[in-house]
Amino acid sequence: MDRFYITTPIYYVNDKPHIGHAYTTIVADTLARWRRAQGMDVLFLTGTDENSQKTVDAAKKSGEEVHAYTDRLAETWRAAWEKLGISNTDFIRTTEERHIEVVKDVWARMDAAGDLYKGRYEGLYCKGHEAFLKEDELTPDGLCPDHKTKPELVSEENYFFRLSKYQKPLLDFYEAHGDFVAPAHRFHEVRAFVEEGLEDISFSREKRDWGIPVPKDPNQVIYVWADALVNYVSAVGVEGWEDHPADIHAVGKDILRFHAVIWPAMLMSAGLPLPGQVIANGFLTVGGTKMGKSLGNAVDPLELAARYGTDALRYFFLREVPYGGDGDFSEEKLRERYNGELANGIGNFAARVLALAEKEEFTDASVDEDFKKEISAMERAVQEKLGVFKFGDALAAIWSAISFGDRYVNEKKVWEIKDAAARRAALFNLLSLLDAVAQSLVPFLPETSAKIADAFVEKGGAMKVKKISALFPRLP
Ligand code: MSP
């Protein structure tokens, strides 16, 4: 069986998930479900990034011992994805032994390649980013533009990673793999960044009491990003990765450089194969403004899912935000799409067709040519668009097939057809379309798809359908 390995970023445990995190995870889940529906053996990894200094700060703030805090938060994240119906097959925590071992192994491999050396580092460190910032990246009053905090001046002995050595190999690799980063405009940015030249980067921190110690130098801990990126390997083991590296790393644009520049360079250094693709989503704002814990406007995906259902949430993000671009969330827009496209679109169509067909039994019925055409056009479009991460276009293709079905019901006045054979023929067309719509919805709206599939029953060699409860009850 063909295998497919997809990952989300591992999320920091300094807070619970908001809809930005949920969005990235839903995108990865959609692709995982798509490949699974194609019959592939899917490995879908998510998890938590725990060895950050922010973890320690957050634990302190909530008055908990760090391990107890990370256990609690890791469980919060795991449970959140479960509640959102995310189909991950593994969940990794960077405090797990299976991870720590592989991080040390990868470090030793990079060391053996002569790519780690000791030097003094001086720079401005932003804890929010877990990265050094350059002076010209700060606001006029010296703050990190994203976190609005003053970076800390750090001057210490660190191990450096010879990233500069990998400029040429990276550019050659990009050249040979024209779809390594998607969408394409993000790939241009990455390439331009690497073309400008790469500096070696600090890969460890001095005297920290939280994090993975540098092998043979307990005075240093491994830089949290050098540790976190390795999770993709540690989940499957070095041999597992050599056998089948990740096909897709789904990330947000904020961490694309880590995944498309530093990570491949680390893998090259460690003599390990590179992932297939890195795809990056844009950022979600809320009612037009940046979202964040510090801004106090983080939207809770679980709360939304409890009110509208997980499928409505998935539908909104996948349909509303063109992949790669930034998008804006507002409850009003969610409700508009819910009533307009879910309740009135798929909800209404399924209810109507099932109610009309409920009393019929279908044996050796056939589908009209125009329906066959409509169905295969939809199926083709969905496959094509998913292949290039155009989730909204794929959904639009499904909705256009739904409209086709609705028009047919109205034009034929199916509810008035007296002749039994003609009525059954018309209904069989519609049911075939509904069935195909449900199949196509599997990656996007898994619950809805399963509910529709449940309406189809076998009875003594004949096909029958039963009514189902409203898929998307209209919102007041
Ligand atoms: N721990 C690192 C990732 C390590 S991966 C080896 C990290 N974690 S994070 O919790 O800060 O969030 C990571 C991801 O969450 C972002 O890359 C992005 O995919 C998603 N998002 C966080 N805020 C977001 C928005 N406002 N909008 C869209 N996605 C957002 O970075």
Side-chain angles (χ1 to χ4, degrees), residues 81-96:
W81 299 143
E82 189 176 306
K83 282 182 203 137
L84 289 179
I86 300 303
S87 65
N88 56 295
T89 57
D90 196 356
F91 185 96
I92 193 159
R93 300 179 53 187
T94 56
T95 47
E96 282 176 75

Side-chain angles (χ1 to χ4, degrees), residues 10-12 18 20-21 24 49 225 232 252 254-255 281-284:
I10 47 172
Y11 300 98
Y12 287 129
H18 60 52
H21 308 120
T24 302
D49 187 352
W225 271 100
Y232 305 128
D254 56 328
I255 58 173
N281 61 257
F283 256 45
L284 292 180

Side-chain angles (χ1 to χ4, degrees), residues 138-329:
L138 305 180
T139 65
D141 32 356
L143 304 181
C144 161
D146 294 330
H147 297 93
K148 308 277 183 259
T149 49
K150 205 176 162 70
E152 174 191 3
L153 181 67
V154 171
S155 169
E156 54 182 43
E157 282 272 292
N158 285 168
Y159 285 93
F160 280 73
F161 170 43
R162 251 180 249 287
L163 182 62
S164 58
K165 177 174 147 187
Y166 291 94
Q167 182 189 20
K168 175 93 176 37
L170 282 170
L171 290 172
D172 290 347
F173 175 78
Y174 298 156
E175 189 62 37
H177 299 84
D179 64 353
F180 181 58
V181 175
H185 74 275
R186 296 265 174 242
F187 202 5
H188 294 310
E189 290 171 13
V190 167
R191 220 184 270 124
F193 173 75
V194 176
E195 273 162 2
E196 276 194 13
L198 295 173
E199 285 173 27
D200 293 350
I201 54 171
S202 163
F203 243 37
S204 72
R205 307 298 311 275
E206 208 179 50
K207 299 193 199 78
R208 302 284 152 144
D209 49 9
W210 186 249
I212 303 178
V214 167
K216 293 187 273 186
D217 192 345
N219 212 18
Q220 298 268 336
V221 300
I222 297 175
Y223 172 44
V224 65
W225 271 100
D227 142 2
L229 287 161
V230 177
N231 88 86
Y232 305 128
V233 175
S234 30
V236 293
V238 169
E239 278 171 21
W241 179 272
E242 281 175 323
D243 216 33
H244 193 119
D247 294 286
I248 294 185
H249 292 311
V251 302
K253 65 175 184 182
D254 56 328
I255 58 173
L256 179 57
R257 274 185 203 170
F258 286 103
H259 284 82
V261 181
I262 298 176
W263 178 228
M266 286 172 69
L267 288 166
M268 285 177 183
S269 168
L272 294 172
L274 270 49
Q277 255 186 322
V278 181
I279 63 171
N281 61 257
F283 256 45
L284 292 180
T285 51
V286 174
T289 54
K290 220 186 136 188
M291 173 181 43
K293 190 187 187 181
S294 47
L295 297 161
N297 64 345
V299 178
D300 182 353
L302 295 180
E303 204 220 305
L304 288 176
R307 276 189 291 141
Y308 302 106
T310 52
D311 277 5
L313 209 58
R314 293 170 76 97
Y315 181 82
F316 178 79
F317 290 130
L318 296 171
R319 182 81 197 249
E320 172 83 10
V321 188
Y323 189 71
D326 293 338
D328 187 54
F329 171 83

Side-chain angles (χ1 to χ4, degrees), residues 429-444:
N429 282 331
L430 289 163
L431 289 175
S432 305
L433 181 73
L434 180 62
D435 182 39
V437 162
Q439 299 284 336
S440 290
L441 282 177
V442 165
F444 309 95

Side-chain angles (χ1 to χ4, degrees), residues 338-358 371 374-375 378 397-411 414-415 426-439 441 448 452 455-456 465-472 474:
Y338 181 107
N339 275 335
E341 293 157 37
L342 294 172
N344 282 350
I346 179 71
N348 186 53
F349 178 65
R352 209 174 172 199
V353 171
L354 293 173
L356 286 168
E358 188 191 21
F371 269 81
E374 187 67 29
I375 289 169
M378 167 186 73
I398 301 175
W399 259 250
S400 126
I402 294 171
S403 304
F404 175 89
D406 269 330
R407 273 199 309 278
Y408 180 86
V409 176
N410 296 341
E411 279 161 18
V414 175
W415 62 94
L427 285 169
F428 194 75
N429 282 331
L430 289 163
L431 289 175
S432 305
L433 181 73
L434 180 62
D435 182 39
V437 162
Q439 299 284 336
L441 282 177
T448 305
I452 298 173
F456 289 78
V465 293
K466 57 175 195 225
K467 274 201 254 182
I468 51 176
S469 57
L471 293 171
F472 296 97
R474 265 195 83 81

